[in-house]
Amino acid sequence: QVQLVESGGGLVQPGESLKLSCTASDFTLYYYAIGWFRQAPGKEREGISCISSADGRTYYAESVKGRFTISVDRAKDTIYLEMTDLRPDDTALYYCATDTVTTCAGEVPPVNYVFAGQGTQVTVTS
């Protein structure tokens, strides 16, 4: 069973930054494509980013392009989502996830995965 753990969420003001981390136990994350999606109350789930292990390609939703960066640290086997210029509508529960394949599903980051963590809360408010 794949168990993913997200961390790094918090309460920030608009314009500030956060860096989320995704780790796993008994599972090598960087072998696979890893995505991030978010869920806000009353809103549809949104796929926001994905990184392919096969070729390192990254994908972003239009809503976060230019502000968020997904990356992998192979030595730490950790996937990061660096979020800058945060806005109130970025407030959501953020999840990392995988289908245990090596490429992302497409240009638009997916919203559904076979495995996902429990999420980390990001709240942006003044």
Side-chain angles (χ1 to χ4, degrees), residues 7-97:
S7 61
L11 175 65
V12 296
Q13 295 187 341
E16 293 186 337
S17 301
L18 280 174
K19 189 173 185 178
L20 307 184
S21 300
C22 176
T23 58
S25 56
D26 299 324
F27 179 77
T28 304
L29 273 179
Y30 72 79
Y31 284 171
Y32 302 104
I34 303 295
W36 288 90
F37 65 90
R38 64 187 180 186
Q39 180 80 63
K43 295 185 179 180
E44 292 187 359
R45 180 182 293 187
E46 181 185 16
I48 54 175
S49 189
C50 187
I51 184 166
S52 290
S53 62
D55 54 13
R57 288 189 67 180
T58 57
Y59 305 87
Y60 299 95
E62 286 298 321
S63 60
V64 305
K65 199 171 288 185
R67 299 188 298 124
F68 290 13
T69 303
I70 190 170
S71 63
V72 56
D73 184 328
R74 293 191 170 207
K76 296 182 179 180
D77 195 26
T78 300
I79 309 298
Y80 298 103
L81 184 69
E82 187 158 14
M83 309 184 296
T84 64
D85 190 25
L86 283 161
R87 305 166 181 170
D89 59 4
D90 292 319
T91 295
L93 197 56
Y94 283 70
Y95 300 84
C96 65

